[in-house]
Amino acid sequence: MTVLLEMKERLKLIYSKSEVFIVPIVKFLLAFITFNTLNDSMGYMAILDDMRIILIAALACSFLPLGVIVLLGAVFSLMHMYALSLEVALVGLCMYLIMYLLFFRFSPKDSLVVVITPLLCALKIPYVIPITVGLLCAPASAVSVGCGVAVYYLFQLVTESAPNIRTMGEEEALEKIRMLVESFLGNKAMLVIIAAFAITVVVVYMIRRLSVNYAWTIAMIAGAMVNIVALLIGDLYYDINISVGSVLLGSLLAVVVAKVIEFFRFCVDYSRTEKVQFEDDEYYYYVKAVPKMAVPMQTRTVKKINPQRTREAEEGMVEEDSHPARRQGGRTVTTERSSTGGGGRQSGRTVTSERTAPGGRSSQGVRRAAAERGAAGGSGYQGGRNVSTERTASGRSGARNTGHAQGRSVTIGNAADLTNNYNEDEWP
């Protein structure tokens, strides 16, 4: 089950990212199949049987609303009827107007149902329609299902009556109209199927709206049984010769398709159902909460390591380690020595002390002290601090070095031990 849920989430992610491309492609395929099936079933006007016209019409429908497919399908069928007979086209136009008024009065957003129903009827699997519509739509969508069934039987009536209509002359126009109207309204099989499908849609909708566990599964099974019973009763009463085997197989296929739709539309975990009760100033509320089944998708992070940058970073670290500066505890002491002068004294010697932040970066309060010994006593002044240093040739102190900084006195025995002998509390 986890694999299926992950696949579902991936499909939803793909659809959300590529919806702008997927929807026009689906519309194009649906329109192409519809127009091609219509030409194959009727095909009285040869100019409409051209593949270029079908492709142009389907391409136009791919960027327009679904209602355009219904409109162009009606136009194609009326042109075929007109090529057969003017009276047939008039009858077809009147039927379309009645269905148009019913369709836009009750379910104007179910254009897809009106298109798919005749296609599935032509494929001999119409029993998927009522169960699917009951799960996904409202009870008013039964009108759309009925219109789709009526369109299929209208096409079938025109095809079966075409040989007789061609033999009739122009003076028998009223006879043609009367024959078509009576044949259409007296089609018992059409009326039984419309009634059975309408009852199935309502039953499935009412059951799947209940707050019981596994309501959708119960609804689709009950809908299939109601559909079978209604068709068998109609067959017994009107003797319409419905194949029982095709009804059973079609209903079983409808349940399978409905389970797939349930997985993508209403996948919940009834084992974690919670019932909540709360109230306000006017009402008491009893709420049943059923969580949806969902699993987080596994994401993989790929790190790309650039070997060139890695080498540059290593070279920078080597250069930092080989620098003459010596780092200890966040301090940097740099010592420079020049050539010694006469008398064992070192001339031009510079000692620079710097205190940095613990990360090796200079803080805002860094102070530097430099002591340079000149010919006349080697005293230097920097930042308000006087430091005097003397060193003999043997490295021992020849004179006491005394420094004054901010009223404090610091005595240093050897300038080379500067990093080890200073007092942390006295450092500025």
Side-chain angles (χ1 to χ4, degrees), residues 397-415:
S397 176
R400 184 174 292 248
N401 303 320
T402 304
H404 298 277
Q406 298 180 356
R408 293 195 301 264
S409 170
V410 180
T411 302
I412 301 175
N414 194 338

Side-chain angles (χ1 to χ4, degrees), residues 158-179:
V158 171
T159 304
E160 293 175 355
S161 303
N164 295 330
I165 293 173
R166 286 175 176 175
T167 58
M168 294 180 180
E170 296 180 356
E171 65 280 359
E172 298 177 339
L174 294 177
E175 184 66 21
K176 295 178 183 178
I177 295 175
R178 185 181 63 82
M179 180 187 67

Side-chain angles (χ1 to χ4, degrees), residues 37-59:
T37 305
L38 187 60
N39 289 336
D40 292 340
S41 62
M42 302 181 74
Y44 302 116
M45 184 172 283
I47 190 174
L48 295 179
D49 202 11
D50 191 354
M51 185 59 64
R52 292 172 294 182
I53 295 178
I54 296 176
L55 289 175
I56 292 172
L59 186 62

Side-chain angles (χ1 to χ4, degrees), residues 15-162:
Y15 178 78
S16 62
K17 289 183 178 180
S18 307
E19 181 181 2
V20 67
F21 303 106
I22 294 175
V23 173
I25 292 173
V26 172
K27 288 182 180 179
F28 173 80
L29 294 176
L30 180 62
F32 179 80
I33 295 172
T34 301
F35 300 150
N36 198 20
T37 305
L38 187 60
N39 289 336
D40 292 340
S41 62
M42 302 181 74
Y44 302 116
M45 184 172 283
I47 190 174
L48 295 179
D49 202 11
D50 191 354
M51 185 59 64
R52 292 172 294 182
I53 295 178
I54 296 176
L55 289 175
I56 292 172
L59 186 62
C61 292
S62 63
F63 298 99
L64 296 174
L66 284 171
V68 179
I69 301 178
V70 179
L71 178 61
L72 289 181
V75 171
F76 271 55
S77 62
L78 287 176
M79 293 179 71
H80 284 296
M81 293 177 187
Y82 177 76
L84 178 63
S85 174
L86 177 61
E87 294 79 11
V88 177
L90 290 176
V91 172
L93 180 60
C94 294
M95 297 296 177
Y96 285 156
L97 289 176
I98 295 173
M99 286 186 267
Y100 174 81
L101 295 176
L102 291 174
F103 169 71
F104 278 95
R105 173 64 180 84
F106 293 99
S107 53
K109 296 182 180 180
D110 294 336
S111 302
L112 185 61
V113 176
V114 179
V115 175
I116 292 180
T117 302
L119 292 177
L120 295 182
C121 289
L123 297 174
K124 306 302 180 183
I125 49 173
Y127 309 105
V128 177
I129 289 296
I131 297 178
T132 303
V133 172
L135 292 175
L136 301 178
C137 303
S141 300
V143 177
S144 302
V145 175
C147 291
V149 174
V151 168
Y152 169 74
Y153 278 97
L154 178 62
F155 294 162
Q156 192 177 30
L157 174 63
V158 171
T159 304
E160 293 175 355
S161 303

Side-chain angles (χ1 to χ4, degrees), residues 84-408:
L84 178 63
S85 174
L86 177 61
E87 294 79 11
V88 177
L90 290 176
V91 172
L93 180 60
C94 294
M95 297 296 177
Y96 285 156
L97 289 176
I98 295 173
M99 286 186 267
Y100 174 81
L101 295 176
L102 291 174
F103 169 71
F104 278 95
R105 173 64 180 84
F106 293 99
S107 53
K109 296 182 180 180
D110 294 336
S111 302
L112 185 61
V113 176
V114 179
V115 175
I116 292 180
T117 302
L119 292 177
L120 295 182
C121 289
L123 297 174
K124 306 302 180 183
I125 49 173
Y127 309 105
V128 177
I129 289 296
I131 297 178
T132 303
V133 172
L135 292 175
L136 301 178
C137 303
S141 300
V143 177
S144 302
V145 175
C147 291
V149 174
V151 168
Y152 169 74
Y153 278 97
L154 178 62
F155 294 162
Q156 192 177 30
L157 174 63
V158 171
T159 304
E160 293 175 355
S161 303
N164 295 330
I165 293 173
R166 286 175 176 175
T167 58
M168 294 180 180
E170 296 180 356
E171 65 280 359
E172 298 177 339
L174 294 177
E175 184 66 21
K176 295 178 183 178
I177 295 175
R178 185 181 63 82
M179 180 187 67
L180 290 173
V181 172
E182 290 180 355
S183 299
F184 183 77
L185 297 179
N187 194 335
K188 302 300 182 180
M190 179 187 71
L191 297 178
V192 169
I193 291 177
I194 290 176
F197 283 6
I199 295 172
T200 303
V201 170
V202 175
V203 169
V204 172
Y205 174 80
M206 292 177 62
I207 295 177
R208 67 101 171 169
R209 292 284 295 175
L210 297 177
S211 61
V212 298
N213 292 347
Y214 306 100
W216 279 50
T217 303
I218 298 172
M220 62 184 70
I221 295 175
M225 296 177 63
V226 168
N227 188 36
I228 294 171
V229 171
L231 290 174
L232 291 178
I233 292 175
D235 186 19
L236 292 174
Y237 189 77
Y238 290 106
D239 194 16
I240 56 178
N241 297 323
I242 293 179
S243 176
V244 179
S246 64
V247 172
L248 294 176
L249 291 177
S251 300
L252 181 61
L253 177 62
V255 172
V256 173
V257 174
K259 288 298 292 182
V260 175
I261 294 174
E262 179 191 10
F263 177 74
F264 284 97
R265 183 67 181 272
F266 192 77
C267 187
V268 295
D269 186 5
Y270 287 104
S271 62
R272 297 188 292 128
T273 302
E274 298 180 1
K275 293 183 178 180
V276 183
Q277 177 183 352
F278 56 94
E279 63 177 280
D280 58 9
D281 295 336
E282 298 180 357
Y283 296 95
Y284 286 94
Y285 300 92
Y286 299 89
V287 180
K288 179 180 179 181
V290 183
K292 295 181 179 179
M293 283 187 180
V295 292
M297 291 189 303
Q298 297 180 356
T299 57
R300 297 178 180 178
T301 304
V302 179
K303 265 186 187 177
K304 184 177 180 181
I305 300 176
N306 193 339
Q308 183 177 0
R309 293 184 178 180
T310 305
R311 288 195 298 270
E312 291 177 356
E314 292 177 354
E315 292 175 359
M317 293 175 63
V318 171
E319 291 179 359
E320 184 178 354
D321 293 340
S322 61
H323 196 273
R326 193 170 125 199
R327 299 180 179 272
Q328 290 182 357
R331 299 185 305 275
T332 302
V333 179
T334 305
T335 304
E336 297 179 2
R337 295 183 180 181
S338 60
S339 59
T340 58
R345 295 185 178 181
Q346 187 178 11
S347 62
R349 181 173 178 272
T350 301
V351 177
T352 303
S353 298
E354 179 181 356
R355 180 171 182 174
T356 62
R361 299 179 181 175
S362 298
S363 62
Q364 188 175 1
V366 172
R367 298 180 181 268
R368 292 185 177 131
E372 295 184 1
R373 183 191 164 131
S379 63
Y381 179 81
Q382 183 177 1
R385 183 188 295 253
N386 292 326
V387 180
S388 300
T389 61
E390 291 184 2
R391 184 170 178 174
T392 60
S394 60
R396 297 176 180 175
S397 176
R400 184 174 292 248
N401 303 320
T402 304
H404 298 277
Q406 298 180 356
R408 293 195 301 264

